[in-house]
Amino acid sequence: MNSWLQVPMRSLKNRMQLFFLVLIISVVALTLLLVRSATYSHSTSQLLAQIITSERVIEDKLNNHAELLLRATDNLSGNFTIKQYIAAANDDRASLDVAMQNQQARISADIYFVLDKEKNVVAASSATLDPPANITPFITPGISWLSLPEGVFLVKGVPVKFVERSRNTDAWVFLGYRADSLINSDIGRLTDLDVNLILPSENRMLGSTLPPRLAAAFLHSTPAEKMSANELHRTTLEGVDYLYTLKPIGRLASDDVELVMLTPQDKAYLSYNSMLGQLIGLLLVAGTISLAGGVFLSKGVTGPLNKLAKAANKIRQGSHVAKFPASSTLEVDALSLALSDMQDGIESREKQIQHLAYFDDLTGLPNRNQFVTYLNKAIANQENNTVMVLMMDIDRFKEINDTVGHETGDVLLKHIAKRIQQQDSLPGLLARLGGDEYGMVITVNNDNDVEPLIGQVVAAFDQPFNIDGLVLDIDCSIGAACFPADATTPQGLMQCADIALYSCKDGHHNFARYSASLNKYSVQRLNLMSELKSALQEGQLQYYYQPKLQIDTLSITSVECLMRWIHPVHGFIPPDEFIPLAEQTGAIRHVTNWGLRTALSRQQQWREQGHNISVAVNISAVDLIDMTLPTLVSDLLSEFNAEPEYLTLEVTESAIMSDPQNALRALNALKRMGIKLSIDDFGTGYSSMAQLKDMPVHELKIDKAFVLALATNNDDKTIVNTMVSLAKNLGLEVVAEGVEDGASLQYLRSVGCTKAQGYFIAKPLPEQAFSDWLRAFTPDCLDEGKCINP
């Protein structure tokens, strides 16, 4: 009976074991299928979410580049110097090109171009530039592409108005980045995907992180029909399966540009395949153990896996999982750890993206985006406080970059940021806005607290900067504007602070606060710059003539030609105001040409009337270092049949000292031609005795500051006597300016001064009045004191 029972029991036992084994296998198989399906679906969703996030990152980055271009060109459109260069581009395109190249270098742009109001090219970095027919997409926010023979570029620009309140646009300025420079290895590392920029209508790759052969293969593999955005598509390149998505990102003319995110399929599902292999091994082990243990183990596996699937789903939805389920199974623990690491990686990458969006890579300071955001909040939250915006840049920074290199310049920018941050009690935000430009937002209780705080910023530059043994003595310029007194928007405050900054540079001060007069002056100054050339054509510039008396013979042998601008609206404009404008715009060459031509023409008329008089013409610092000046003088001398020794060119000491090497080269060339050279305002400049003996000059002019009180001031007598003795010992003639009485003239004669010039002899006179004076002059009028009105 036992044997009879044994068989059914054994059979029942086997059947039960088989039942439980089949049950375990079925449960395991079902679990495997469910987990595989859920994990595959999750991995696919996670991959798609990663790609979409990466697309947003790249789109934000391109938008940031577009915004940077818009801000840079907006700064250019408000830059008075740039406006001057554009207005004078037909005559001096080189200055505009240099200015645009400086701005291009400041933001590392790849191209620039300037269009006039008829949309013709005024200046461009590309010799083959064909202006876009429709410029609207390029002057509005967003991503816009431009195709040139050199490649495709992300281009943005703004209109330029020479007068801010004008309704008409006078020009457009544009800057751009090359598409293939924007799509680079850094973007690939940031997204951990291959990034491509294509123009489907031309089947053209604009930029790619793929090797060239794979990029070409991808172009040939993409179907001609339109594919859906934000969906995974598959292709095979060189035997490897790839997954990719497409997303429109801006337009090139009338065609969409597509952003393609590409990754190998095996890499995309690497964690899924690894986890699946581990899970199969785990389930195989579970199937070989006892039935009871199998049931227990299956419960121990499916429970944590379901929790992990839920955790993975939360991660996919963007939620943070604080704690992952634990398990006694090593494989499940490994999966839990992998999901935890994946979540940490996503958070780290999001923090990196956030940092790139709001911080400067070089200095670690907040960037322009964060600066504007902070300023908006400061304005919104101010309660009876003063919100002050400071715009600061480094003096002569371009010279430092050109001399010691950009790497040293970058190190200097880091040191400057660190030095300012180390100043005590500086409330607010310090940001690097780009290039050598920094910005600060300071909130104070009253205006009296402002200047001490700015003094702390200036004090950061008191000590030189030591960079690997190179000692650099640096200065800064700071412009300030207040809310709400000066402007009520961040852009307005920054613009006002920029105007103050430029006025600060013009006045050679460390700090300037904005005032409405600065803005008005800037507009008037800009108008004068644009009117100067037409003033020459319309005869608004005139010469007044002041004679120089030969003291030993009491005769008139020479005359100084003094330029005057008689403006139809503003009236008399002194040379001290319009000559610097002419130097900045490049119009100084036209002014000098007019001056020399007019002086020599008038001298020819006097010669025909029997007066053989030398003419003296003032030359600016820009003229002096322009090596075309000797050629111009030579041509004019030939044209008017004038003798070189009857032309004197007067230059100031400061003009020579601004560029001694080129100045001396030009002076020597002029001296070899027989032209007489005179140092004007001697005694007020910076030349040393060693430099004076090397200057190829014929004459020193003693500044009137030492002559006006010569009759009564013993110190002035000592100085004048010393200067005359110095000139004699060097074999130079001496002219004293500012002679206003007979006693001063008598003293100059006693010490051996060569010539005298001043109101005692005659004031500067218009052309006809001077001719009348010259005909009536006799030495007797000097004794009678009637030379002014003989």
Side-chain angles (χ1 to χ4, degrees), residues 375-504:
L375 181 54
N376 265 315
K377 292 180 179 178
I379 291 173
N381 297 331
Q382 66 88 22
E383 296 179 358
N384 300 321
N385 292 328
T386 297
V387 177
M388 179 77 75
V389 172
L390 305 181
M391 303 296 283
M392 178 179 71
D393 73 2
I394 311 305
D395 297 343
R396 300 180 294 105
F397 184 74
K398 181 181 183 301
E399 179 183 339
I400 293 171
N401 260 350
D402 293 343
T403 304
V404 299
H406 290 274
E407 290 185 2
T408 302
D410 288 346
V411 175
L412 175 61
L413 291 174
K414 293 180 183 178
H415 282 264
I416 290 171
K418 184 177 181 181
R419 181 86 64 86
I420 296 175
Q421 286 178 306
Q422 289 174 345
Q423 298 299 306
D424 297 331
S425 305
L426 277 180
L429 178 78
L430 171 67
R432 182 186 177 217
L433 305 182
D436 63 330
E437 186 180 12
Y438 295 84
M440 293 187 68
V441 179
I442 298 176
T443 303
V444 294
N445 295 327
N446 57 70
D447 282 359
N448 295 330
D449 297 333
V450 172
E451 295 203 14
L453 292 173
I454 293 174
Q456 291 185 43
V457 178
V458 174
F461 296 85
D462 288 345
Q463 298 298 321
F465 292 84
N466 190 320
I467 302 175
D468 297 330
L470 176 64
V471 178
L472 297 173
D473 194 2
I474 305 299
D475 292 317
C476 70
S477 298
I478 301 174
C482 292
F483 172 89
D486 299 326
T488 57
T489 65
Q491 292 75 17
L493 285 169
M494 293 168 70
Q495 181 181 2
C496 290
D498 269 332
I499 292 172
L501 172 64
Y502 290 127
S503 73
C504 169

Side-chain angles (χ1 to χ4, degrees), residues 511-530:
F511 165 65
R513 292 185 67 167
Y514 172 80
S515 65
S517 61
L518 291 178
N519 204 18
K520 291 178 182 177
Y521 171 71
S522 298
V523 173
Q524 179 181 343
R525 188 166 178 263
L526 181 61
N527 288 336
L528 290 178
M529 286 181 177
S530 61

Side-chain angles (χ1 to χ4, degrees), residues 239-509:
V240 178
D241 292 332
Y242 284 82
L243 300 174
Y244 67 96
T245 62
L246 298 98
K247 176 182 176 63
I249 188 160
R251 295 180 68 81
L252 195 159
S254 59
D255 299 321
D256 284 331
V257 174
E258 299 280 357
L259 176 66
V260 179
M261 310 298 291
L262 186 75
T263 185
Q265 181 170 311
D266 289 342
K267 178 181 177 183
Y269 291 106
L270 181 63
S271 59
Y272 161 76
N273 293 331
S274 175
M275 184 196 68
L276 187 62
Q278 294 178 4
L279 185 58
I280 292 173
L282 175 65
L283 294 178
L284 288 175
V285 171
T288 59
I289 61 177
S290 63
L291 296 178
V295 173
F296 177 78
L297 185 59
S298 67
K299 291 181 180 180
V301 170
T302 57
L305 286 178
N306 285 329
K307 292 179 180 179
L308 284 175
K310 292 178 181 179
N313 188 51
K314 288 183 178 180
I315 295 173
R316 181 181 64 82
Q317 296 173 354
S319 301
H320 178 79
V321 178
K323 184 178 180 181
F324 287 88
S327 173
S328 58
T329 307
L330 294 177
E331 287 78 1
V332 177
D333 278 342
L335 176 60
S336 179
L337 181 61
L339 288 174
S340 178
D341 289 343
M342 180 182 70
Q343 178 176 254
D344 292 341
I346 293 172
E347 290 180 349
S348 175
R349 192 168 297 164
E350 288 177 348
K351 290 179 180 178
Q352 185 180 0
I353 293 170
Q354 183 79 1
H355 184 84
L356 288 173
Y358 289 101
F359 289 89
D360 175 53
D361 282 343
L362 179 64
T363 62
L365 293 176
N367 61 11
R368 184 180 288 270
N369 286 339
Q370 189 172 167
F371 180 82
V372 174
T373 301
Y374 184 91
L375 181 54
N376 265 315
K377 292 180 179 178
I379 291 173
N381 297 331
Q382 66 88 22
E383 296 179 358
N384 300 321
N385 292 328
T386 297
V387 177
M388 179 77 75
V389 172
L390 305 181
M391 303 296 283
M392 178 179 71
D393 73 2
I394 311 305
D395 297 343
R396 300 180 294 105
F397 184 74
K398 181 181 183 301
E399 179 183 339
I400 293 171
N401 260 350
D402 293 343
T403 304
V404 299
H406 290 274
E407 290 185 2
T408 302
D410 288 346
V411 175
L412 175 61
L413 291 174
K414 293 180 183 178
H415 282 264
I416 290 171
K418 184 177 181 181
R419 181 86 64 86
I420 296 175
Q421 286 178 306
Q422 289 174 345
Q423 298 299 306
D424 297 331
S425 305
L426 277 180
L429 178 78
L430 171 67
R432 182 186 177 217
L433 305 182
D436 63 330
E437 186 180 12
Y438 295 84
M440 293 187 68
V441 179
I442 298 176
T443 303
V444 294
N445 295 327
N446 57 70
D447 282 359
N448 295 330
D449 297 333
V450 172
E451 295 203 14
L453 292 173
I454 293 174
Q456 291 185 43
V457 178
V458 174
F461 296 85
D462 288 345
Q463 298 298 321
F465 292 84
N466 190 320
I467 302 175
D468 297 330
L470 176 64
V471 178
L472 297 173
D473 194 2
I474 305 299
D475 292 317
C476 70
S477 298
I478 301 174
C482 292
F483 172 89
D486 299 326
T488 57
T489 65
Q491 292 75 17
L493 285 169
M494 293 168 70
Q495 181 181 2
C496 290
D498 269 332
I499 292 172
L501 172 64
Y502 290 127
S503 73
C504 169
K505 284 184 173 294
D506 290 342
H508 302 287
H509 303 299

Side-chain angles (χ1 to χ4, degrees), residues 552-590:
D552 56 353
T553 62
L554 296 181
S555 59
I556 303 301
T557 59
S558 59
V559 62
E560 182 176 3
C561 305
L562 300 168
M563 197 174 295
R564 302 289 187 261
W565 184 358
I566 311 302
H567 194 280
V569 177
H570 304 294
F572 171 71
I573 301 175
D576 290 346
E577 288 189 17
F578 71 83
I579 292 299
L581 300 183
E583 290 178 334
Q584 292 178 29
T585 60
I588 190 64
R589 294 180 178 88
H590 304 291

Side-chain angles (χ1 to χ4, degrees), residues 646-667:
Y646 284 94
L647 173 63
T648 300
L649 299 182
E650 296 188 4
V651 296
T652 61
E653 292 179 82
S654 57
I656 297 174
M657 291 303 100
S658 65
D659 189 349
Q661 184 176 359
N662 284 326
L664 289 175
R665 186 182 298 121
L667 291 175

